Amino acid sequence: MPEDRWVAVTSPRVLVALVLMIAFVTALAPTPEAGAGAPGNLRVASQTSWVRSDGVFQIDLDVEGPAGGSVELTVHPKVDNRSEFESSITDGPRDLPLLVVSSALDGQSQVSFSVPLTVDPEPGRLTLVDPGVYPVEVSLLDIDGTRISRLTTHIVLVPDTLAGEEPLAVALTVPLRTDVALQSDGVVAVTPADQGSIDSLTSALRAVPDVPATLSVSPETVSSLDNARLNALRDALNGRLLLPRPFVDLDITAWLDAGLDSEYLNALATGLTTTIDLLGIQPATNIWLAGSTLTPNSLATLGGLGYEQIVFEDDQLEALDPSAFPLTLTQQFLVEDANGQRYPSAAIDEALATRFAVGADPTLAAHQILAEMSVLFFDQPGRPRGVIAAPPDDWSANAGLLRIVLDGLDGNPILVPVTVDMWFDTVGSAFEGGQNADLGFILDREIESTPAFDLSAFSRRYSTAAASLFSFSRLVGPDDLALAEMNDLLLIAGTTGLSATQSDQYLRAITAEVNESIAAIRLIDPPRRITFAARDGAVPVVIENGIGRDVSLLVSMSSEKLEFPEGDSVVVDIPPGVHEISLDVSARTSGDSVLDLTLSSPDRGITLDSTRVRIRSTALSGLGLIIAGIALLFLLVWWIRTRRSRRPNRRLIVADADPARNVPTPQKV
């Protein structure tokens, strides 16, 4: 490597001369924008995350630059606040340099700088006395010294000891959410990009297993993972905090406003069950990561479920008075729900969230995140404070960035990694009196949520599909595999971000699946006429179950002339195939009767089939028997009387013991 050229700027005269020279050069030839002129690029390959006063700052750079060009490293005075930190990145440092060192490019693709530090001035070492965050500007220059590209990273100089100072509690909260994997046709499709994001997240977390972190994982994503990725995620979560989520992303306020309270609670319960079943991990029972539309009313609902510590996005809350809170708020505060209940709360640091948006240099982004956290520590090092750092929910995880942040937190003397529950246990509360107040009323902040989307039209379509699915569940039983998939489709239909067309595709898929299943369950037509010789009889009913699994069916009977000794409906369990059951009926009178049969789900929500049977009873009824008995008695009396009336009157005949005397005596003519 070519010999580095060092310029340590310490003399006041040298500083004045340098200022005049910079002003003169700037007036004659303004510095081109990054990327202008000859082609070239700079990226950070690695660097020191933090260093003590007698340590060495090391940075390795990947360089694409012109032959004969050079790389220049400039160290600037420390920043005093976050505004100066941001300016050092976006505009470049403006203060006089403390050190300038350069290295010529002789065709190599990597350039390294080692900057030894010291408190007391020594030749060849950079003198940094005060702990803090020092901007380091790296410039790629062409052969004429014209800047082609630049970047700004930082030296984080930590105190040798923390005398009465509290390290900043850092709750790194990482989301894992992919596009919905379960499609409306039942196919599970995880895109290569989502697979890469999952693999990046798990590999980074597994590489640094002892660093606390908090994860917010979509249960629908978990349910779509293959065994290898599921095992990797389970391993990455070991010893870390998992936050609760519904099965898919749902806008709680929109669902409550649409009257879908129980449906939202079902989605939450499904999410918790899925997470526990697949990962074997119980999510936090008292911490909630709020969405952008959370209102005091929906907060009250969450409070009723036991969620008592709330993490907000900063723009969901009223702005703080800058005169009372000139620095970033790094303490707890209270938020009140619609019932007057107050909840310990925290806000995700908005500026840090934007740093996770990785460009071409994830290593640089990671070190800027660590440096900005360090700026927060140096704001008020004597107070128990903390920050919640979380990428946006749609963040595509970058293993390199996440690994560097975790490594940079591990053993860091001024930044201590914690989970969110530990954060609430560690970090103190802010007071109404302002940033420096030590006593008084705890700071209250009002919710200023984004208006929720109107789900009234969706709720009607959703409720219809849900009712059909509920009836189907009574038919096939709660453990049916097809039912489980249809329940997932129902929940996915309400996912935040889906269009109305996409939601309807999921709801129509449920209706089609239910209709296809119930079409395979029917009554085989019984005989058109059944004759009973007695008053009581049994009607044979043949049922075909063609859906390939056991079903529970309700058979209902109705008739004007028939009675049903066992009730007018009966629930029967029918295995696959064709099966016959018998229904007991009783005829009130002899003659013809009509029996209507209906086959439905046990809750009567789905009608499967119906038919009509004519029944003839030849048995006499009780009244008929009485009438017949009376008629028979009348006939018997009539017969007896008639027979008596035809007998001769014995009193008109002369009795003679000699029969011969009864023969008439011939008369003489």
Side-chain angles (χ1 to χ4, degrees):
M1 177 182 292
E3 182 180 356
D4 294 339
R5 302 191 304 276
W6 286 72
V7 178
V9 184
T10 56
S11 169
R13 292 183 180 179
V14 174
L15 292 176
V16 172
L18 184 60
V19 172
L20 294 176
M21 182 181 68
I22 292 173
F24 178 73
V25 172
T26 302
L28 292 179
T31 302
E33 294 295 327
N41 192 27
L42 283 171
R43 287 185 301 274
V44 177
S46 64
Q47 76 165 70
T48 307
S49 298
W50 54 271
V51 63
R52 297 191 188 277
S53 59
D54 58 351
V56 176
F57 173 76
Q58 175 78 26
I59 184 169
D60 303 311
L61 300 157
D62 292 326
V63 183
E64 299 173 5
S70 62
V71 178
E72 184 177 82
L73 180 144
T74 305
V75 181
H76 293 267
K78 70 175 184 178
V79 299
D80 291 328
N81 50 56
R82 290 189 84 172
S83 296
E84 290 184 6
F85 177 87
E86 175 64 24
S87 179
S88 73
I89 295 174
T90 57
D91 303 325
R94 297 302 182 190
D95 292 328
L96 296 175
L98 302 175
L99 172 75
V100 178
V101 58
S102 65
S103 178
L105 291 177
D106 288 334
Q108 75 272 26
S109 60
Q110 190 172 74
V111 172
S112 298
F113 293 100
S114 294
V115 182
L117 304 182
T118 182
V119 175
D120 300 318
E122 294 182 28
R125 300 179 75 92
L126 174 62
T127 303
L128 296 180
V129 177
D130 296 328
V133 177
Y134 293 79
V136 177
E137 186 176 30
V138 182
S139 300
L140 176 61
L141 309 176
D142 66 12
I143 194 170
D144 298 326
T146 303
R147 179 185 290 169
I148 300 172
S149 181
R150 63 168 287 274
L151 62 83
T152 301
T153 186
H154 300 81
I155 295 175
V156 178
L157 180 63
V158 302
D160 293 332
T161 59
L162 293 182
E165 297 173 329
E166 296 280 349
L168 186 77
V170 177
L172 181 62
T173 305
V174 184
L176 175 57
R177 185 193 66 82
T178 63
D179 291 335
V180 173
L182 180 60
Q183 307 302 304
S184 59
D185 59 2
V187 174
V188 177
V190 182
T191 66
D194 285 338
Q195 290 177 349
S197 181
I198 294 167
D199 294 342
S200 292
L201 178 68
T202 54
S203 65
L205 290 170
R206 294 171 75 187
V208 194
D210 296 328
V211 177
T214 301
L215 277 81
S216 175
V217 180
S218 166
E220 198 275 336
T221 296
V222 174
S223 70
S224 70
L225 299 181
D226 55 38
N227 287 334
R229 288 188 171 90
L230 196 60
N231 289 333
L233 178 59
R234 189 182 297 114
D235 189 35
L237 282 165
N238 186 35
R240 293 179 164 122
L241 181 67
L242 184 62
L243 296 180
R245 291 178 71 152
F247 182 72
V248 289
D249 289 339
L250 303 178
D251 184 338
I252 179 174
T253 300
W255 280 61
L256 297 183
D257 289 347
L260 298 172
D261 307 49
S262 59
E263 289 79 2
Y264 182 87
L265 297 181
N266 175 58
L268 179 57
T270 302
L272 296 175
T273 301
T274 300
T275 301
I276 294 171
D277 289 347
L278 296 180
L279 294 177
I281 298 173
Q282 171 68 55
T285 58
N286 64 329
I287 300 173
W288 188 262
L289 188 60
S292 61
T293 65
L294 190 72
T295 63
N297 283 326
S298 48
L299 178 57
T301 298
L302 292 172
L305 297 174
Y307 297 107
E308 299 174 342
Q309 295 174 331
I310 314 298
V311 178
F312 289 89
E313 296 176 9
D314 192 60
D315 59 4
Q316 292 176 255
L317 302 162
E318 65 171 340
L320 295 169
D321 180 359
S323 63
F325 295 93
L327 303 174
T328 301
L329 183 64
T330 49
Q331 293 167 299
Q332 297 185 47
F333 49 89
L334 295 175
V335 170
E336 188 174 293
D337 70 11
N339 298 328
Q341 179 68 33
R342 301 161 83 201
Y343 301 82
S345 301
I348 294 171
D349 192 283
E350 186 176 6
L352 287 176
T354 63
R355 302 272 180 231
F356 285 90
V358 180
D361 198 340
T363 303
L364 175 62
H367 285 288
Q368 288 174 343
I369 289 170
L370 291 168
E372 190 158 11
M373 292 175 180
S374 301
V375 172
L376 295 177
F377 164 78
F378 287 114
D379 277 346
Q380 290 180 300
R383 294 176 179 272
R385 298 173 305 119
V387 64
I388 295 182
D393 202 46
D394 59 354
W395 181 58
S396 180
N398 183 283
L401 181 150
L402 187 57
R403 172 70 185 276
I404 292 169
V405 172
L406 291 169
D407 278 333
L409 292 173
D410 190 18
N412 194 309
I414 63 174
L415 305 175
V416 55
V418 296
T419 55
V420 172
D421 55 344
M422 295 166 60
W423 192 96
F424 278 103
D425 292 339
T426 304
V427 174
S429 297
F431 295 101
E432 294 284 0
Q435 207 102 46
N436 297 316
D438 294 320
L439 295 172
F441 293 107
I442 296 177
L443 175 66
D444 276 297
R445 300 185 71 181
E446 292 185 3
I447 299 175
E448 293 184 351
S449 56
T450 303
F453 190 74
D454 183 5
L455 294 181
S456 55
F458 166 78
S459 69
R460 292 189 291 271
R461 301 191 301 272
Y462 180 94
S463 297
T464 299
S468 175
L469 198 54
F470 174 78
S471 296
F472 187 73
S473 72
R474 298 294 304 277
L475 190 145
V476 298
D479 298 326
D480 185 78
L481 294 179
L483 175 67
E485 181 177 293
M486 285 190 281
N487 273 322
D488 290 348
L489 293 176
L490 183 64
L491 294 174
I492 292 171
T495 302
T496 300
L498 286 187
S499 66
T501 300
Q502 291 172 315
S503 293
D504 284 345
Q505 287 176 347
Y506 282 96
L507 297 179
R508 285 197 299 269
I510 295 168
T511 302
E513 177 70 19
V514 170
N515 289 341
E516 181 180 353
S517 296
I518 65 177
I521 304 172
R522 66 189 185 97
L523 292 168
I524 303 297
D525 289 339
R528 292 186 177 181
R529 185 184 298 275
I530 299 174
T531 301
F532 292 165
R535 191 169 78 93
D536 298 329
V539 177
V541 177
V542 180
I543 301 173
E544 180 182 9
N545 173 13
I547 68 172
R549 51 198 186 274
D550 293 353
V551 294
S552 294
L553 304 173
L554 179 70
V555 183
S556 302
M557 301 168 284
S558 64
S559 175
E560 293 182 358
K561 297 182 179 181
L562 298 175
E563 295 178 343
F564 312 107
E566 303 299 328
D568 62 0
S569 63
V570 59
V571 176
V572 293
D573 294 328
I574 304 296
V578 178
H579 302 274
E580 180 178 310
I581 64 172
S582 294
L583 301 175
D584 293 333
V585 300
S586 179
R588 296 174 184 168
T589 62
S590 59
D592 290 345
S593 302
V594 174
L595 173 64
D596 289 317
L597 295 175
T598 302
L599 192 64
S600 68
S601 59
D603 69 330
R604 305 179 190 269
I606 298 176
T607 299
L608 302 166
D609 203 355
S610 62
T611 190
R612 173 169 286 187
V613 182
R614 295 188 180 277
I615 296 175
R616 170 169 291 180
S617 174
T618 58
L620 293 175
S621 65
L623 178 61
L625 288 174
I626 294 174
I627 295 174
I630 295 174
L632 182 61
L633 179 62
F634 176 80
L635 288 174
L636 181 61
V637 171
W638 175 81
W639 180 79
I640 293 173
R641 294 182 65 182
T642 301
R643 184 171 179 78
R644 285 180 176 177
S645 65
R646 291 180 178 178
R647 286 173 130 186
N649 193 338
R650 296 187 177 212
R651 289 176 295 180
L652 301 176
I653 300 174
V654 178
D656 192 337
D658 186 0
R661 296 184 64 181
N662 293 328
V663 179
T665 302
Q667 295 182 0
K668 293 180 179 180
V669 178

